[in-house]
């Protein structure tokens, strides 16, 4: 693929995710700003980068591509491979060309929202792989710190993690570890991984407009994104591991009842197998995760074992409870606050 075309100056941002350094660039400055807002917590100046991502708001150069058969398909795209280069075609609407050895990915599209989403997901996927190799594993949960102890709420996608996080961050004493995928280390501690928060488009947030963006998405309904800069004084310290204090396994209730009841360690581990070991709800990006196609899944046993080890360590260090969640978010929050006050007494 050709280099960035001569024209407008190139805008660049750099990020560092626990040792994984990423550079994002484009001649469309506003696109780079979108990514900056997504990953603001990890923004770092200078330094060497293992991965460079270019965004080109232009039609994909299909005429320049080699004649290669598809390696595999996902619901989002068709993936092709030639040597160490992956071509990920989003059904003619966007194209990502990932040169794995060179650590370079170029994404083309004339759809502003789509090119932003592709780059966001690509970074999540490749950073997730790097974190897995380092023994830091994402868990699909809302994570907050309270009195220097981490509270994890495990819930499926759309279960209300972001709304609960918004409610808790309005209360004194809470800091954000991650609204969707905080990290668990080899000692079962929680490391912060805060990204932009996302709520259903049109949902009331109480957040000023300058911190909000509404984005179209490939597979789902539009989402309103909340910049973490709004919570600047409520973010956990960068790189600091927090001791686990409480594991809550959410169980939605069709009615209004909300309750917190003890859960066995085996019950908590079962939930962690789903939301951390298997990674249900954690974006992993098969199109970028697999180097040679679906057959690569058989070689991921080491990652699964490492995730299971960290999950087991976490369960051994923190009490677990089942959190029955009613339809009233504020009522759920009040129940959790009451539970924490009683625990402190």
């Amino acid at each position: 693929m050709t280099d960035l075309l001569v024209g407008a100056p190139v805008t660049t941002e750099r990020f560092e995710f626990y040792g994984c350094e990423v550079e994002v660039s484009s001649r469309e400055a506003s696109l780079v700003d979108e990514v900056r807002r997504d990953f603001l917590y990890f923004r770092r100046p200078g330094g060497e980068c293992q991965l460079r991502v270019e965004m080109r708001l232009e039609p994909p150069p299909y005429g320049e591509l080699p004649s290669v058969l598809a390696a595999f398909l996902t619901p989002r795209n068709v993936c092709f491979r030639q040597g160490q280069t992956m071509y990920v075609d989003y059904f003619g609407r966007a194209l990502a060309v990932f040169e794995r050895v060179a650590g370079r990915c170029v994404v083309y599209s004339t759809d502003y929202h789509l090119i932003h989403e592709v780059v966001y997901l690509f970074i999540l996927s490749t950073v997730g792989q790097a974190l897995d190799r380092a023994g830091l594993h994402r868990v699909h949960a809302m994570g907050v710190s309270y009195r220097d102890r981490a509270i994890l709420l495990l819930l499926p996608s759309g279960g209300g993690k972001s709304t609960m996080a918004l409610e808790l961050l309005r209360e004194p004493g809470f800091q954000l570890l991650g609204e969707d995928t905080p990290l668990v280390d080899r000692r079962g501690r929680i490391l912060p991984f805060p990204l932009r928060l996302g709520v259903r488009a049109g949902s009331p947030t109480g957040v000023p407009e300058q911190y909000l963006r509404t984005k179209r998405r490939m597979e789902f309904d539009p989402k309103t994104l909340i910049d973490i800069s709004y919570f600047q004084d409520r973010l956990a310290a960068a790189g600091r591991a927090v001791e686990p204090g409480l594991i809550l396994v959410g169980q939605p209730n069709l009615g209004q009842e909300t309750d917190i009841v003890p859960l066995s360690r085996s019950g908590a581990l079962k939930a962690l197998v789903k939301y951390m070991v298997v990674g249900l709800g954690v974006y992993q990006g098969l199109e970028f995760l697999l180097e040679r196609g679906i057959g690569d899944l058989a070689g991921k046993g080491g990652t699964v074992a490492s995730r299971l080890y960290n999950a087991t360590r976490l369960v051994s260090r923190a009490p677990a409870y089942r959190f029955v969640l009613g339809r009233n978010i504020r009522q759920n929050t009040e129940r959790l606050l009451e539970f924490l006050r009683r625990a402190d007494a």
Side-chain angles (χ1 to χ4, degrees), residues 161-342:
K161 296 187 300 299
S162 299
T163 309
M164 176 68 78
L166 276 173
E167 291 287 334
L168 290 176
L169 291 174
R170 293 188 176 104
E171 300 290 335
F174 288 91
Q175 291 185 313
L176 182 65
L177 292 167
E179 164 265 358
D180 199 50
T181 52
L183 307 176
V184 182
D185 72 7
R186 303 294 285 172
R187 293 169 57 183
R189 301 175 302 175
I190 311 303
L191 284 163
F193 197 77
L195 308 173
R196 82 273 173 102
L197 277 69
V199 297
R200 187 178 295 109
S203 299
T205 63
V207 175
E209 285 293 323
Q210 65 263 35
Y211 298 101
L212 302 177
R213 297 171 284 163
T214 297
K215 309 295 291 186
R216 298 194 310 268
R217 298 187 292 168
M218 280 182 276
E219 298 179 88
F220 307 101
D221 292 334
K223 207 169 197 179
T224 294
L225 308 179
I226 305 171
D227 295 346
I228 61 167
S229 57
Y230 177 68
F231 308 101
Q232 193 166 8
D233 60 341
R234 289 299 186 92
L235 299 177
R240 177 178 173 269
V242 181
E243 296 294 332
L246 184 62
I247 302 170
L248 298 170
V249 179
Q251 184 174 24
N253 171 32
L254 191 59
Q256 298 296 330
E257 178 189 357
T258 179
D259 201 4
I260 300 176
V261 296
L263 180 66
S264 67
R265 286 186 176 177
S266 62
L269 184 59
K270 182 179 178 181
L272 284 169
V273 166
K274 180 196 297 186
Y275 293 118
M276 179 175 159
V277 180
V278 175
L280 188 66
V282 176
Y283 181 77
Q284 301 184 69
L286 290 180
E287 56 266 43
F288 302 113
L289 177 67
L290 307 181
E291 299 181 24
R292 293 176 294 277
I294 296 299
D296 275 5
L297 288 173
K300 302 300 180 183
T303 296
V304 170
S306 181
R307 292 177 182 177
L308 182 59
Y309 177 86
N310 289 22
T312 303
R313 290 285 290 158
L314 170 59
V315 167
S316 72
R317 300 190 60 191
Y321 293 82
R322 188 175 307 281
F323 192 177
V324 178
L325 297 159
R327 298 178 64 82
N328 187 314
I329 297 296
R330 186 60 208 174
Q331 185 173 309
N332 296 333
T333 306
E334 291 292 346
R335 180 69 186 90
L336 177 56
L337 293 172
E338 176 192 359
F339 177 85
L340 294 175
R341 284 193 290 266
R342 287 169 53 190

Side-chain angles (χ1 to χ4, degrees), residues 21-23 49-53 98 103-105 122-123 126:
E21 296 173 332
V22 179
E23 178 185 277
C49 290
Q50 296 99 323
L51 179 66
R52 287 178 167 80
V53 185
F98 180 28
R104 181 186 185 217
C105 182
F122 171 74
I123 292 174
T126 50

Side-chain angles (χ1 to χ4, degrees), residues 15-185:
F15 309 92
E16 191 266 316
F17 304 86
Y18 295 97
C20 178
E21 296 173 332
V22 179
E23 178 185 277
V24 177
S25 63
S26 179
R27 293 196 182 280
E28 190 68 35
S30 62
L31 273 175
V32 178
D33 189 57
E34 296 276 9
V35 180
R36 178 193 64 81
R37 293 171 73 175
D38 294 335
F39 299 112
L40 183 64
Y41 184 84
F42 300 98
R43 187 184 185 202
R44 301 288 186 273
E48 292 297 321
C49 290
Q50 296 99 323
L51 179 66
R52 287 178 167 80
V53 185
E54 298 175 13
M55 295 179 287
R56 303 192 183 185
L57 198 61
E58 59 188 66
Y62 289 111
E64 302 176 19
L65 303 183
S67 180
V68 182
L69 294 175
F72 58 97
L73 286 78
T74 81
R76 294 174 298 277
N77 43 49
V78 186
C79 306
F80 306 83
R81 180 177 179 271
Q82 185 181 58
Q84 292 297 317
T85 301
M86 289 291 299
Y87 300 91
V88 183
D89 178 26
Y90 293 82
F91 302 112
R93 299 175 57 215
L95 174 73
V97 181
F98 180 28
E99 301 172 65
R100 191 177 299 276
V101 174
R104 181 186 185 217
C105 182
V106 184
V107 183
Y108 304 83
S109 181
T110 57
D111 186 323
Y112 187 94
H113 288 262
L114 180 56
I115 195 171
H116 169 229
E117 183 180 9
V118 169
V119 168
Y120 175 75
L121 295 178
F122 171 74
I123 292 174
L124 280 187
S125 175
T126 50
V127 166
Q129 292 177 63
L131 294 172
D132 276 338
R133 290 192 293 269
L136 300 175
H137 302 301
R138 295 173 292 170
V139 56
H140 190 223
M142 178 210 73
V144 291
S145 173
Y146 180 71
R147 298 187 184 276
D148 289 324
R149 288 291 184 271
I151 300 171
L152 292 182
L153 172 59
L154 282 64
L155 267 177
S157 297
K161 296 187 300 299
S162 299
T163 309
M164 176 68 78
L166 276 173
E167 291 287 334
L168 290 176
L169 291 174
R170 293 188 176 104
E171 300 290 335
F174 288 91
Q175 291 185 313
L176 182 65
L177 292 167
E179 164 265 358
D180 199 50
T181 52
L183 307 176
V184 182
D185 72 7

